[in-house]
Amino acid sequence: MSEQIQRHAMTMKKVVCQIPGMDAVKIQRDVEYHATDAGARTMDVYHPSGAPRDARTPAVVIVEGYSDVGYEAFTGCKFKDTEFCISWGRLMAASGLVAITYTNREPAADLQVLLRHVRRNAASLGVDEHRIGVWASSGNVPLALSVLMEDDRDFVKCAVLCYPFTLDLEGSSAVAEAAGTWKFANPVAGKSVADLRPDLPLFVARAGQDEFPHLNETLDRFLAHALARNLPITFVNHPTAPHAFDLVDDTETSREIVRQILAFLRFQLVR
């Protein structure tokens, strides 16, 4: 009980949507993906219930754009141990996908190590190394976008971006300022929509009442530039929703958007 009292209230928030099979998924916890002098980096791997031992299932990596050093000091737990990550992992696994959450110290470098490890050990992890998606929200999105800009990442087949900080375009510095304030990685500083892979399907969820200053302004510019380049974007706007609506807005609209996200991931990865 004392551990829960010390944790930030947001780390205890679960996704407002539930689907059949969430409680039956199999979870491999604290699997080492990188050994360092500062301690092992680990991941939790969520598997669909009943998947055969030799299954090679498409996977989704839930991207962490914050260092766990600062994140744990502020929230009282590691990012992968939040109820938010756990419930999204269960939702994805119950939808027939493998979900991966992980620890880090250096967000950009550790994400690259994680992706290499997952692909090299795909057989033992039960993952299809050729069909991987990324899911990111809020300040985790600039790091996810950096992966979508790398030509040698053609195994990444799709991405979901929820109420995202994106790119500073048309002279804006809002994302850079938010990264400085909230300490999330921003490896796409100076980049543009033209740097994104043009064939990569994106699902973008916008919170119409997002309270973070200038987030929606930067997102709207991002969307305008993406549409001008005719990128394959699926876009949904939740007009009455606040930031993190999947956790705090317990409405049928929020639940339907979660279901749309899961359907998008399945459509892009399981075919």
Side-chain angles (χ1 to χ4, degrees), residues 1 5 25-26 65 145 209 220 266:
M1 182 64 70
I5 291 173
V25 306
K26 301 175 183 177
L145 287 174
Q209 301 301 316
D220 293 349
R266 278 193 55 82

Side-chain angles (χ1 to χ4, degrees), residues 68-84:
D68 267 325
V69 177
Y71 192 89
E72 187 170 14
F74 181 74
T75 68
C77 72
K78 293 179 172 61
F79 182 77
K80 78 174 182 65
D81 296 328
T82 61
E83 291 298 327
F84 149 79

Side-chain angles (χ1 to χ4, degrees), residues 1 22 48-49 80 108 110 112 116 122 130 138 144 152 159 171 206-207 221 225 227 253-254 265:
M1 182 64 70
M22 288 179 65
S49 174
K80 78 174 182 65
D110 286 343
Q112 299 294 344
R116 286 196 297 270
H130 303 296
S138 190
D152 62 345
R206 181 183 187 272
R221 280 192 289 268
H225 282 243
L227 290 172
T253 301
S254 294
L265 290 169

